[in-house]
């Protein structure tokens, strides 16, 4: 899979903005509730492609929740498990296997971030 394959797979739904030879920002219209842009990055490491948020989701959540609280930790784990992503060194990460599934993975990634950022709906009040 090459960056050209990825651009074709995005089909105008998103645009890539190069950052380096191995990293691109996926431009999208999604925002957090506070109006901040939801930043998504596509990185290539050891010939594998990954989506990452560079810790932005957890930074946003840290302002709303006690991220060390057991109920919050359990909720975060459940949400990322549903979508098949992981948190590595504070970054929400997901592997992109091929360009055929790319749009689906990006949309699921955005939905996952949305559920994480809006977990307060499941609690009595944000911490």
């Amino acid at each position: 899979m090459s960056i050209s394959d990825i651009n074709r797979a995005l089909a105008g739904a998103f645009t890539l903005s190069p950052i380096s030879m191995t990293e691109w920002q996926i431009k999208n219209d999604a925002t957090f509730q506070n109006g901040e842009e939801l930043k998504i990055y596509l990185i290539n490491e050891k010939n594998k492609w990954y989506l990452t948020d560079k810790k932005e989701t957890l930074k946003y959540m840290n302002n709303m929740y006690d991220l060390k609280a057991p109920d919050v930790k359990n909720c975060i784990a459940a949400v990322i498990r549903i979508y098949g992503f992981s948190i590595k060194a504070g970054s929400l990460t997901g592997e992109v296997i091929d360009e055929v599934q790319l749009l689906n993975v990006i949309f699921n990634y955005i939905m996952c971030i949305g559920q994480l950022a809006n977990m307060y709906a499941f609690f009595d009040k944000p911490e």
Side-chain angles (χ1 to χ4, degrees), residues 59-92:
K59 286 179 188 174
Y60 174 82
M61 292 174 67
N62 192 48
N63 293 329
M64 297 185 68
Y65 309 105
D66 175 4
L67 295 180
K68 294 179 182 172
D71 57 343
V72 173
K73 283 182 173 182
N74 288 337
C75 194
I76 291 170
V79 169
I80 63 172
R81 188 173 36 254
I82 288 168
Y83 289 100
F85 299 120
S86 61
I87 294 180
K88 295 181 182 172
S91 293
L92 183 65

Side-chain angles (χ1 to χ4, degrees), residues 9-93:
L10 293 176
F14 302 98
T15 56
L16 294 177
S17 179
I19 295 171
S20 71
M21 294 297 292
T22 59
E23 184 177 343
W24 296 261
Q25 184 176 358
I26 299 174
K27 297 289 188 172
N28 65 85
D29 293 332
T31 60
F32 288 107
Q33 189 174 5
N34 65 3
E36 287 184 32
E37 177 185 4
L38 193 156
K39 295 180 181 175
I40 303 172
Y41 300 91
L42 179 68
I43 57 172
N44 187 294
E45 290 180 350
K46 300 178 184 172
N47 292 322
K48 289 188 177 184
W49 293 92
Y50 300 93
L51 295 179
T52 181
D53 66 349
K54 293 187 176 183
K55 303 180 184 182
E56 290 299 318
T57 303
L58 285 181
K59 286 179 188 174
Y60 174 82
M61 292 174 67
N62 192 48
N63 293 329
M64 297 185 68
Y65 309 105
D66 175 4
L67 295 180
K68 294 179 182 172
D71 57 343
V72 173
K73 283 182 173 182
N74 288 337
C75 194
I76 291 170
V79 169
I80 63 172
R81 188 173 36 254
I82 288 168
Y83 289 100
F85 299 120
S86 61
I87 294 180
K88 295 181 182 172
S91 293
L92 183 65
T93 304

Side-chain angles (χ1 to χ4, degrees), residues 40 51-53 85 92 105-113:
I40 303 172
L51 295 179
T52 181
D53 66 349
F85 299 120
L92 183 65
V105 173
I106 293 172
F107 285 124
N108 282 334
Y109 194 82
I110 291 170
M111 288 175 39
C112 181
I113 290 172

